[in-house]
Amino acid sequence: MQRYFIYLAYDGTNYHGWQIQPNGISVQECLEKALSVSLRKEMRVIGAGRTDAGVHASLMIAHFEFDDESLDLDFLTERLNRILPPDISVFHVKKVRSDVHARFAARSRTYKYYVTTAKYAFNRQYHWRLYGELDFEKMNEAAATLFRYADFTSFSKVHTDVKTNLCEMMQAEWTQQDETTWVFTIRADRFLRNMVRAIVGTLVEVGRGKIDVAGFQKIIEQQDRGKAGTSAPGNALFLVDVEYPEDIFVE
């Protein structure tokens, strides 16, 4: 069996997340149906991660296996794009080694979260509108303390099926995009369920002066989701990159 990577993007507004759900449509379900029609065989795909309901991806990667090493990958890409709904698009399909797993082989994942301090008709769907003054310098000071820790239980949804809440943080910073828009970029080897949104929500509390930097650290150390802030809305969150070793591809 030949293993393939699918590189895709999606607007998560109309979906109950990436993973197949019993009571709602998911991105994974749509992709599997399109792939099954294209290859005339029931197909399953495994994604690099699980985005929550309403969360977007400008780059998601999923793998599937097929008993044909000579697939016309350009034709398959075009066919998938014709079948998939307008809010899911495939960039390309690539051959990878049979031992490469879209989720477990990933070295890092990067998310971006967008907030705005102004009302603007054309970004309301993809930004979190915040009111009042925010101290982004303090928010960055608090974000920098994330590198001191590995256990992020305080920012994880409870009762999940993961075996560990340990993550290696590689990047966490706020940058100003324009006069009214700020972007939080966070990169780690793995993320817990709801983790990015919980971190953003808690950092906003720092920016509003409700939590100081020492208090933010204490929240992490308590390893209790109930101590952290409310999760930020999912509509402003994007998975933007997944990194893999360079030697995974097959010519």
Side-chain angles (χ1 to χ4, degrees):
M1 298 288 281
Q2 176 62 54
R3 185 163 290 189
Y4 296 88
F5 268 14
I6 301 178
Y7 291 72
L8 68 148
Y10 53 85
D11 180 327
T13 303
N14 296 320
Y15 300 96
H16 290 251
W18 161 264
Q19 192 174 19
I20 290 177
Q21 304 291 330
N23 300 312
I25 190 169
S26 69
V27 179
Q28 183 183 23
E29 178 184 350
C30 289
L31 183 59
E32 287 186 351
K33 286 182 177 179
L35 194 60
S36 297
V37 171
S38 298
L39 298 178
R40 299 179 181 179
K41 179 180 179 181
E42 187 172 342
M43 302 298 299
R44 293 289 178 261
V45 299
I46 297 176
R50 304 174 182 176
T51 54
D52 294 334
V55 175
H56 319 289
S58 58
L59 178 64
M60 167 63 90
I61 296 171
H63 81 246
F64 71 94
E65 291 183 332
F66 192 63
D67 55 0
D68 185 351
E69 298 181 9
S70 59
L71 281 178
D72 185 331
L73 301 184
D74 289 335
F75 178 78
L76 177 60
T77 298
E78 178 61 27
R79 185 164 174 78
L80 287 171
N81 280 323
R82 289 183 181 183
I83 297 171
L84 286 164
D87 49 9
I88 303 176
S89 58
V90 173
F91 300 122
H92 46 250
V93 181
K94 291 186 176 182
K95 286 184 180 180
V96 295
R97 298 197 321 259
S98 60
D99 62 333
V100 176
H101 193 284
R103 180 180 175 189
F104 299 125
R107 286 181 169 175
S108 71
R109 298 153 177 86
T110 305
Y111 285 86
K112 288 184 181 290
Y113 195 96
Y114 294 83
V115 303
T116 181
T117 57
K119 182 178 181 179
Y120 185 56
F122 297 106
N123 69 8
R124 71 193 187 283
Q125 192 171 343
Y126 306 109
H127 291 66
W128 183 18
R129 169 78 191 282
L130 297 174
Y131 299 86
E133 294 293 324
L134 288 169
D135 188 338
F136 283 96
E137 186 175 339
K138 280 293 182 187
M139 291 161 70
N140 262 335
E141 188 179 338
T145 68
L146 292 167
F147 298 104
R148 303 176 188 176
Y149 301 94
D151 191 319
F152 294 99
T153 300
S154 293
F155 301 124
S156 173
K157 192 170 184 178
V158 296
H159 308 305
T160 64
D161 58 357
V162 299
K163 296 180 180 179
T164 175
N165 288 339
L166 302 181
C167 308
E168 181 186 353
M169 195 64 58
M170 302 171 183
Q171 183 180 6
E173 61 178 343
W174 291 92
T175 55
Q176 189 168 11
Q177 189 175 60
D178 56 42
E179 190 173 326
T180 60
T181 304
W182 288 76
V183 184
F184 181 61
T185 304
I186 185 167
R187 182 166 66 98
D189 64 335
R190 62 191 291 267
F191 287 93
L192 309 174
R193 289 189 64 185
N194 204 237
M195 179 174 165
V196 179
R197 292 166 57 196
I199 289 175
V200 171
T202 309
L203 287 174
V204 167
E205 295 296 283
V206 174
R208 288 171 170 162
K210 296 182 178 181
I211 304 172
D212 60 16
V213 175
F216 182 80
Q217 290 183 261
K218 186 177 180 181
I219 287 171
I220 302 173
E221 292 164 1
Q222 287 176 306
Q223 298 179 14
D224 182 349
R225 179 64 185 92
K227 303 297 183 182
T230 303
S231 293
N235 67 291
L237 180 60
F238 289 76
L239 173 64
V240 301
D241 194 23
V242 186
E243 292 185 84
Y244 294 92
E246 296 180 358
D247 62 350
I248 66 171
F249 299 102
V250 176
E251 294 296 334

